[in-house]
Amino acid sequence: MQYLNDPDLLMKLLSQLAGGMLTSLSIFFSTLLFSLPLGLVVALGRMSRRKWVSVPVSFFILIMRGTPLMLQLFTVYFFLPRLVGPIPRLQSTMIAFSLNYAAYFAEIYRGGIMSIDRGQYEAAQVLGFTRSQTFLQIVLPQTVKRVLLPVSNEVITLVKDTSLATAIAVGELFLVAKNATSASGSVEPLFIAGLFYLAMNTVVTFFFHWLTRRFEYYRG
Amino acid sequence: MLEAKHIAKAFGGERVLRDVSLRVDQGQVVAIIGRSGSGKSTLLRCLNHLETVDAGEIRIDGRPMVTTGPGGTPVYAPKAELRALCLKMGFVFQNYNLFPHMTVMRNLCQAQERVLRRPKAEAAERATALLAQVGLSDKAGQYPCQLSGGQQQRVAIARALALDPEILCFDEPTSALDPQLTQEVLGVIRDLAREKRTMIVVTHEMRFAREVADTVVFMQEGVIRAVGTPDEVMGDHRSEELSVFMGLLGDD
């Protein structure tokens, strides 16, 4: 109980952890910023009737979902710079996470899009909507509501996955806690970091509750 | 106004339509009756390009929607023309297919604004008038899930009418409704018939077909068995085969 018995030491640890959490949050938000839209592009590619589009995209999804995220992180950090020049650790993490999460979001979106009744497409067709109008005005808005729950699952996972960046020594929450544990020989920093993750995910959970309620104005 | 000739359609080897020809003139109300699986819905869906034909020709106002090409295969009009022709037709589905995420008003205005490029105020005015016509003026701000089946179907009729189609098609519009709600919807269709609107109605409602249609088309196993006035097809002088079928459908 060396931290909990010493307020000064505890405050110092908390401020270190808070700094780490900011880095974790930057990974979290930038991953969402890129992967949420990229997932839609990947989903559309996966559903394309052109084989030369859908086959490579399916392969991309297979790789992204079928191999460890940590391995993907190493690949981006160690091998991508050979092709495009140096990439800082934090940016490597954001790239690897965005690609990985885009693959998961793509499959969620695809499921949502395919769950829209064929009658909606037929109604749009007889009313003269073009294919892109049908997708943007009729299918996509209804898909958002249906994917909310699985997307919230992924977002909660992402909060915890940011800790994988520890593997390439990005100074995020988990690394800060681990270093504090190594230095002090106490596991308290790791458990306190756990509370930080729990706090972030509580916020995420409430956010999605709120969002779900906002979509309750219609059934379907 | 609408002419379909020698339409054939098969689903996975099963011939659903075999050499069906149909003509609909301005102001005519055509009822297509027949048992489930007789091909009547498929015929209507072919006329609206919801299904593609395997053979045959369809013309709307003399403009070809699909014609027979050199090899005997059907050739459809170019995309833009096809869309223009399909807009001459309105379609009401068995399951309404309203857009659940839009209010009743939005359901009626969306295509007017985005497809016909009508100004918003004009679209809203048209929608309001149509809602009054189907007796749902108070439902403009509601969502489809808040309405009964009969009300939803009446909204769907108003939505189809909003685009001013020349021919309005109904695909078993009351099959999903209980008898009371069926009457609401049939009442609206009856009013449209009085306005001399051109309509094609696929229906199981024998009494209704007899009352509203000028022409009754009786289909069986993918072919048209009889065409004529309601009296000719459903009256006392019909053939024995027709009598048997009508009996099965519960005609009175």
Side-chain angles (χ1 to χ4, degrees):
Chain A
M1 287 298 187
Q2 56 172 291
Y3 284 96
L4 293 182
N5 292 332
D6 183 342
D8 289 341
L9 203 55
L10 183 63
M11 284 314 290
K12 206 177 141 211
L13 174 67
L14 288 178
S15 82
Q16 284 171 343
L17 291 177
M21 190 176 79
L22 284 184
T23 307
S24 298
L25 286 173
S26 75
I27 297 170
F28 173 77
F29 282 113
S30 50
T31 299
L32 288 184
L33 183 70
F34 293 113
S35 64
L36 285 170
L38 184 61
L40 186 58
V41 176
V42 175
L44 292 176
R46 173 70 181 76
M47 288 187 293
S48 171
R49 270 178 258 167
R50 297 180 190 90
K51 279 267 184 289
W52 60 270
V53 177
S54 65
V55 170
V57 171
S58 302
F59 187 68
F60 167 80
I61 294 173
L62 181 65
I63 298 293
M64 286 296 147
R65 296 201 307 171
T67 60
L69 176 53
M70 198 186 289
L71 178 59
Q72 294 166 20
L73 189 56
F74 285 146
T75 307
V76 170
Y77 182 58
F78 292 114
F79 294 102
L80 199 57
R82 295 191 187 179
L83 302 175
V84 298
I87 308 171
R89 294 166 201 275
L90 187 60
Q91 277 74 355
S92 296
T93 308
M94 291 169 180
I95 293 170
F97 276 49
S98 296
L99 292 175
N100 180 274
Y101 273 80
Y104 281 97
F105 287 139
E107 287 295 89
I108 292 173
Y109 296 163
R110 188 165 72 95
I113 290 167
M114 290 195 317
S115 76
I116 302 296
D117 185 53
R118 217 173 70 114
Q120 293 288 304
Y121 290 91
E122 292 187 347
Q125 188 194 324
V126 298
L127 291 169
F129 289 102
T130 61
R131 274 173 56 111
S132 62
Q133 282 177 325
T134 302
F135 183 72
L136 292 174
Q137 297 171 30
I138 291 146
V139 176
L140 198 55
Q142 294 183 56
T143 303
V144 174
K145 176 171 175 156
R146 296 194 186 186
V147 302
L148 230 41
L149 193 62
V151 164
S152 75
N153 253 331
E154 287 304 315
V155 174
I156 285 171
T157 301
L158 174 61
V159 168
K160 296 170 290 175
D161 274 357
T162 56
S163 63
L164 287 173
T166 293
I168 59 166
V170 174
E172 43 62 61
L173 180 57
F174 198 77
L175 186 78
V176 173
K178 208 176 70 171
N179 287 346
T181 290
S182 306
S184 66
S186 160
V187 289
E188 286 163 71
L190 282 174
F191 281 98
I192 296 171
L195 292 178
F196 274 59
Y197 286 108
L198 188 60
M200 287 190 277
N201 269 331
T202 305
V203 174
V204 170
T205 301
F206 277 109
F207 172 74
F208 275 98
H209 276 318
W210 171 79
L211 207 55
T212 305
R213 267 202 305 278
R214 288 215 33 189
F215 277 94
E216 270 169 6
Y217 63 87
Y218 77 90
R219 265 204 315 271
Chain B
M1 187 159 225
L2 178 136
E3 201 170 13
K5 282 182 182 164
H6 312 302
I7 304 295
K9 174 73 184 174
F11 290 113
E14 198 192 329
R15 292 159 69 201
V16 181
L17 294 176
R18 332 175 177 204
D19 194 21
V20 171
S21 297
L22 179 72
R23 206 191 131 89
V24 179
D25 294 314
Q26 173 100 45
Q28 208 179 5
V29 178
V30 178
I32 305 179
I33 58 171
R35 213 178 297 179
S36 303
S38 60
K40 55 195 193 312
S41 283
T42 305
L43 174 61
L44 195 67
R45 290 169 60 81
C46 284
L47 299 179
N48 284 270
H49 193 45
L50 287 169
E51 305 285 354
T52 52
V53 302
D54 295 340
E57 304 193 348
I58 299 171
R59 275 167 216 282
I60 298 168
D61 286 343
R63 282 155 68 179
M65 176 173 160
V66 54
T67 52
T68 306
T73 52
V75 179
Y76 274 90
K79 226 176 173 179
E81 170 74 355
L82 202 53
R83 251 163 53 88
L85 287 174
C86 287
L87 274 175
K88 288 172 175 285
M89 316 273 281
F91 198 96
V92 176
F93 298 87
Q94 184 180 339
N95 304 319
Y96 339 125
N97 290 335
L98 293 175
F99 303 131
H101 60 305
M102 296 180 184
T103 61
V104 166
M105 195 64 179
R106 197 81 315 263
N107 264 282
L108 264 61
C109 289
Q110 193 76 2
Q112 292 190 68
E113 292 167 10
R114 305 304 179 89
V115 177
L116 299 187
R117 308 252 165 242
R118 257 182 210 158
K120 282 194 173 213
E122 194 186 324
E125 196 179 318
R126 181 94 178 92
T128 307
L130 284 167
L131 281 181
Q133 189 182 334
V134 298
L136 293 173
S137 294
D138 54 330
K139 304 290 184 195
Q142 305 220 347
Y143 286 88
C145 63
Q146 298 171 291
L147 307 181
S148 73
Q151 291 169 334
Q152 288 192 52
Q153 191 60 296
R154 286 186 281 156
V155 172
I157 294 171
R159 182 175 69 171
L161 288 172
L163 302 184
D164 301 318
E166 293 177 17
I167 304 174
L168 195 53
C169 301
F170 295 84
D171 187 8
E172 302 188 18
T174 59
S175 300
L177 302 173
D178 68 33
Q180 192 190 338
L181 298 181
T182 293
Q183 286 314 313
E184 290 177 18
V185 171
L186 294 185
V188 169
I189 302 175
R190 212 173 270 131
D191 291 343
L192 293 171
R194 260 184 230 119
E195 293 172 13
K196 287 286 151 213
R197 203 170 259 283
T198 314
M199 295 192 282
I200 309 174
V201 187
V202 167
T203 185
H204 286 304
E205 298 286 331
M206 290 305 175
R207 203 184 307 171
F208 173 74
R210 194 164 183 171
E211 170 200 352
V212 168
D214 336 282
T215 305
V216 173
V217 173
F218 168 49
M219 287 186 72
Q220 194 180 34
E221 288 162 2
V223 296
I224 292 178
R225 292 275 184 222
V227 183
T229 63
D231 243 17
E232 287 166 350
V233 180
M234 310 164 95
D236 293 336
H237 302 295
R238 62 201 178 185
S239 73
E240 201 164 313
E241 186 192 28
L242 280 179
S243 307
V244 169
F245 171 77
M246 300 302 169
L248 287 175
L249 271 189
D251 180 37
D252 39 16

